[in-house]
Amino acid sequence: MSILDPSKPVESTMSVEDIRSLIKELEDVYNALLREKLERTEENMKLIGEIYTLIMRLKKTLKAKADQE
């Protein structure tokens, strides 16, 4: 199965270490965006919210994969 299989979320084909690495990178971006003193536009807040949602989804996937092992 290809990593780009549209029938499954991309994280379902990733290794545990790849997911951990991606979570770390997203958390770094998320925290940097929260620290920025730029104006909080609706678009910026939406992006921050989407990154947070993705982090939580990846953490849930990581937990499920760890429970399977």
Side-chain angles (χ1 to χ4, degrees):
M1 175 176 60
S2 167
I3 195 166
L4 298 177
D5 182 352
S7 67
K8 294 192 176 200
V10 70
E11 66 269 17
S12 69
T13 61
M14 295 172 70
S15 72
V16 168
E17 283 306 312
D18 287 341
I19 293 172
R20 283 188 184 127
S21 177
L22 181 55
I23 289 171
K24 171 76 171 100
E25 290 179 37
L26 287 169
E27 287 176 334
D28 290 346
V29 170
Y30 176 79
N31 290 324
L33 288 171
L34 289 178
R35 282 191 304 269
E36 283 185 7
K37 302 296 182 197
L38 299 175
E39 182 181 340
R40 297 272 197 240
T41 64
E42 184 177 336
E43 186 175 306
N44 288 342
M45 295 305 291
K46 185 177 180 182
L47 174 62
I48 290 169
E50 288 174 358
I51 291 171
Y52 178 81
T53 300
L54 180 56
I55 291 169
M56 293 302 107
R57 187 176 94 195
L58 288 168
K59 284 183 176 186
K60 183 177 178 182
T61 300
L62 184 61
K63 183 179 180 335
K65 281 185 176 262
D67 289 346
Q68 289 175 354
E69 293 180 354

